[in-house]
Amino acid sequence: MAWQVVIAGGGFGGFYAARALERMLPAQSAHVTLVNSANFLLYTPLLPGAAGATLDPRHVVVPLRAELRRTDVVIGSVSGADPSRAVLGVDRIDGDRVELAYDQLIIALGSVSRTLPVPGLAEHGVGLKSLSDATALRNQVLTCFDIAESLEDPAERAEYLGFVFVGAGYAGVEGLAELQDFAVQAIELYPRCRAQGMRWVLVDAAERIMGEVPPSLSRFAEHELCGRGIEVRTSTTLAEAGARSARLSDGETIAARTLVWTAGVKPSPVVARLGLPLDEGGRVVVDSTMAVIGAPGPGREWAIGDCAAVPDSARPGLACPPTAQHAIRQGRLVARNVVASLAGRSGRPFRYRTKGVVAELGRNKAVAITLGIRWRGLPAWLIARTYHLLLMPGVGRRLRLLVDWNVALVFGRDASSPGRLGSTTPLGHEDQRNGSLAATHAAPPAV
Ligand SMILES: Cc1cc2nc3c(=O)[nH]c(=O)nc-3n(C[C@H](O)[C@H](O)[C@H](O)COP(=O)(O)OP(=O)(O)OC[C@H]3O[C@@H](n4cnc5c(N)ncnc54)[C@H](O)[C@@H]3O)c2cc1C
């Protein structure tokens, strides 16, 4: 009888675990099932590019079925688990609720935005974590311009031309830099908006932006953003969010209808329903081999990526940071450890020291560290793009990135707002046809 290996989550950790298992486990001895809420792996480091319209949103994902030929891909939502019976509960896309029995379970369910109890944030803030977030933000910029262009009152117009990002880690900085770069090009098509000018503000509670990189690179990134007219407010927090403004802890109220929250992540809430021990941050507690500590059996559970507290060999006493770099390597190693466990051998501990960081700043600039060497400006940007090209699975997908990037370099970024692209129009409601701005944004955008 074949072993049942189930992977919950098909992001960086789950995908690379499945790929490695396909290579290591003979088909007749094990059956690998991967459950994911979408039929693709989202390549998050390229999300800012999708928001900033240098990349087609479809080109920042990897279709799971195209890359995983021997894995049974189940599209659905993991709803819970019962480790004492070794079953994972799944609400499948067809509406059926099923239980998947496992001998080995790899939990790789990732993270969600970590919000704080700031008044108005839940109602008026948006995240930058999903493909729809990225597409919606890009559309939001254009919709704001379209509305602002039609307004007579400059004060009212200013609300639509104000954009506030809270959280200046690499995701927030890259997202803001790419989106602002896109907006700078797009606003040329809106004479009134261009004459009035936009306001972009980056807010962070820390003393400097991009705490992940050394101070010299952080200073370069801040200098670069400020040079483009972006206001960087460090040691500042968001005090209150409204539909038309954001109030900061220094007392200033910024007129803005777009508030983007990129201030950190927390483990996917579903891991709390798996019946496994969690740490105080809500991550699954694992040992250095990524095996869940204190699970009852009879199956064997493992946890990796953003939802797991994998001990960090580079920083004793701490868990690994939530990065794709770590999730990918944990995915590959957990696959080896699953194979070892099935063969009755013990697993290897996870040891990894971050080899580098790359963060694009738009305008062909970036900051990067590779093997201890610090890069900035154009060389860093070339390193960042080469790195993503090499990491993107599949030749076809790499070519798509290359084409998108080069088209955007030569012809600029596309400034159309495809509205509700992806949803159908009910027959008899042609006034709500796909992409119609009037239908999509009859009321001012909520964010
Ligand atoms: C904008 C942005 C930029 C980033 N840039 C970088 C970068 O440059 N470098 C870097 O190293 N890291 C970067 N990261 C962090 C990186 O994306 C994460 O650390 C990494 O994705 C973690 O991998 P994971 O496998 O744990 O989770 P994910 O890759 O998030 O995968 C989790 C998967 O589980 C699925 N899932 C969740 N809940 C359920 C459920 N209930 N049922 C079924 N499926 C479910 C999700 O759909 C997803 O496919 C960035 C993140 C963001 C948001």
Side-chain angles (χ1 to χ4, degrees):
M1 204 184 67
W3 299 106
Q4 297 296 326
V5 181
V6 175
I7 304 172
F12 280 102
F15 172 78
Y16 280 91
R19 252 205 351 189
L21 284 170
E22 284 193 353
R23 288 197 200 108
M24 286 186 279
L25 278 177
Q28 60 279 14
S29 71
H31 181 247
V32 181
T33 305
L34 181 144
V35 184
N36 197 44
S37 45
N39 72 356
F40 54 76
L41 151 73
L42 176 61
Y43 193 106
T44 46
L46 295 178
L47 258 191
T54 50
L55 290 171
D56 184 316
R58 286 169 310 154
H59 297 168
V60 304
V61 303
V62 179
L64 293 171
R65 290 180 200 281
E67 294 295 324
L68 299 174
R69 294 304 177 96
R70 278 185 36 215
T71 301
D72 187 10
V73 176
V74 173
I75 306 306
S77 184
V78 172
S79 53
D82 183 354
S84 65
R85 292 191 295 124
V87 290
L88 181 76
V90 178
D91 292 333
R92 270 195 334 220
I93 193 170
D94 60 5
D96 279 358
R97 174 163 285 193
V98 295
E99 282 191 339
L100 300 178
Y102 60 81
D103 297 296
Q104 305 270 336
L105 171 67
I106 301 171
I107 301 154
L109 290 163
S111 56
V112 295
S113 297
R114 176 171 50 86
T115 53
L116 296 175
V118 176
L121 175 61
E123 297 82 6
H124 304 295
V126 291
L128 180 52
K129 276 284 284 171
S130 68
L131 202 54
S132 52
D133 289 342
T135 311
L137 268 175
R138 175 181 173 284
N139 290 344
Q140 162 83 357
V141 169
L142 295 172
T143 304
C144 282
F145 287 174
D146 281 310
I147 294 173
E149 193 67 14
S150 67
L151 296 172
E152 299 299 332
D153 178 7
E156 216 186 325
R157 208 181 298 135
E159 292 171 6
Y160 288 94
L161 297 175
F163 303 87
V164 176
F165 273 64
V166 183
Y170 52 66
V173 169
E174 283 189 310
L176 171 131
E178 286 286 350
L179 206 62
Q180 193 260 2
D181 210 3
F182 165 65
V184 165
Q185 287 190 19
I187 205 168
E188 291 298 315
L189 306 172
Y190 298 84
R192 266 186 179 173
C193 296
R194 193 185 59 218
Q196 179 155 340
M198 304 180 278
R199 187 168 183 199
W200 289 77
V201 183
L202 176 62
V203 178
D204 199 291
E207 282 174 6
R208 65 181 177 96
I209 65 169
M210 295 179 71
E212 307 92 337
V213 302
S216 60
L217 292 185
S218 158
R219 275 197 300 277
F220 174 81
E222 182 169 343
H223 182 74
E224 180 60 36
L225 297 182
C226 292
R228 297 176 200 173
I230 296 167
E231 299 169 42
V232 177
R233 303 288 181 81
T234 47
S235 306
T236 308
T237 56
L238 177 71
E240 188 176 359
R244 304 163 66 166
S245 64
R247 187 165 59 80
L248 305 184
S249 57
D250 60 10
E252 185 180 357
T253 298
I254 297 168
R257 284 188 179 252
T258 306
L259 173 67
V260 187
W261 181 264
T262 50
V265 295
K266 63 177 184 187
S268 173
V270 74
V271 299
R273 301 201 295 272
L274 301 181
L276 296 170
L278 306 180
D279 72 356
E280 66 288 348
R283 291 170 298 189
V284 182
V285 180
V286 295
D287 66 17
S288 61
T289 67
M290 294 165 288
V292 177
I293 296 172
R300 188 100 201 255
E301 291 83 7
W302 310 80
I304 57 173
D306 287 7
C307 72
V310 180
D312 190 347
S313 60
R315 301 175 308 157
L318 295 175
C320 291
T323 77
Q325 289 187 43
H326 286 81
I328 290 170
R329 285 161 181 88
Q330 289 166 5
R332 290 183 184 135
L333 181 63
V334 85
R336 294 179 74 103
N337 288 350
V338 163
V339 174
S341 165
L342 291 175
R345 299 193 311 270
S346 46
R348 288 204 335 222
F350 179 71
R351 289 193 205 290
Y352 176 65
R353 185 175 288 275
T354 305
K355 291 211 170 51
V357 180
V358 294
E360 286 198 46
L361 301 173
R363 302 205 185 170
N364 310 350
K365 298 223 172 95
V367 288
I369 307 173
T370 52
L371 301 172
I373 304 168
R374 297 171 193 189
W375 306 83
R376 52 195 200 182
L378 184 65
W381 179 78
L382 289 170
I383 289 171
R385 292 225 158 161
T386 310
Y387 171 75
H388 292 311
L389 262 187
L390 294 177
L391 203 59
M392 176 59 89
V395 178
R397 308 215 72 78
R398 289 181 191 158
L399 281 176
R400 286 180 173 92
L401 292 185
L402 265 183
V403 170
D404 279 4
W405 279 333
N406 286 310
V407 167
L409 274 179
V410 176
F411 298 105
R413 303 171 190 227
D414 181 54
S416 61
S417 173
R420 295 186 310 162
L421 207 65
S423 58
T424 53
T425 309
L427 288 173
H429 292 77
E430 272 81 1
D431 57 327
Q432 292 173 22
R433 200 178 291 284
N434 266 352
S436 151
L437 269 184
T440 316
H441 303 293
V447 291

